[in-house]
Amino acid sequence: MIPRPVRLAALLALTVPTALALAACDGPTPADLFVVQRTGSIAGARLTMRVVDDGAVYCNRDTRRHPISSDQLIRARALAHLLDGDQDKDKQGLDQEHLHLKPGAISTLSYSIRSEEGTVSFSDTSPKQPQAFYDLAALTRELAKGPCGLAR
């Protein structure tokens, strides 16, 4: 018969690492960098996309995590910093908490981006939009077509 202290030590050696591993799985949820809602007059324009700081994107109603490349994550983080005021907003034109740019004469796609600090909205033809908005539109399309597997 195995002595009781040895049995207890063996039981702890088996259960403690398992318990710690399970506890680690229930760690903090990664923060959203931003949520994009895209609409438009062309097929496949409607999109809701959530970009998360752990290197993933969630697309429309799909609850699956879609990994993004490190380059895409770096670009998303930089855009989130611009949206949240961690950069020089005056140079980028993001100087309002809730910035809304009206669309130009003929618009195909419209975007609403919600971040920690507020919401910006613009259209593909909004006059005087900062470079960051073009970059957001490009990254949105890249992630939608790539990790999300969408047509547009």
Side-chain angles (χ1 to χ4, degrees), residues 91-94 99-104 107 109 111 113 121-138:
K91 288 184 180 177
Q92 296 297 322
L94 306 178
L99 181 61
H100 173 75
L101 297 180
K102 294 184 181 194
S107 178
L109 296 169
Y111 300 85
I113 292 90
S121 58
F122 61 96
S123 180
D124 54 354
T125 58
S126 294
K128 298 182 182 178
Q129 60 181 294
Q131 182 61 44
F133 288 3
Y134 292 106
D135 295 342
L136 276 164

Side-chain angles (χ1 to χ4, degrees), residues 52 57 93:
V52 186
V57 63

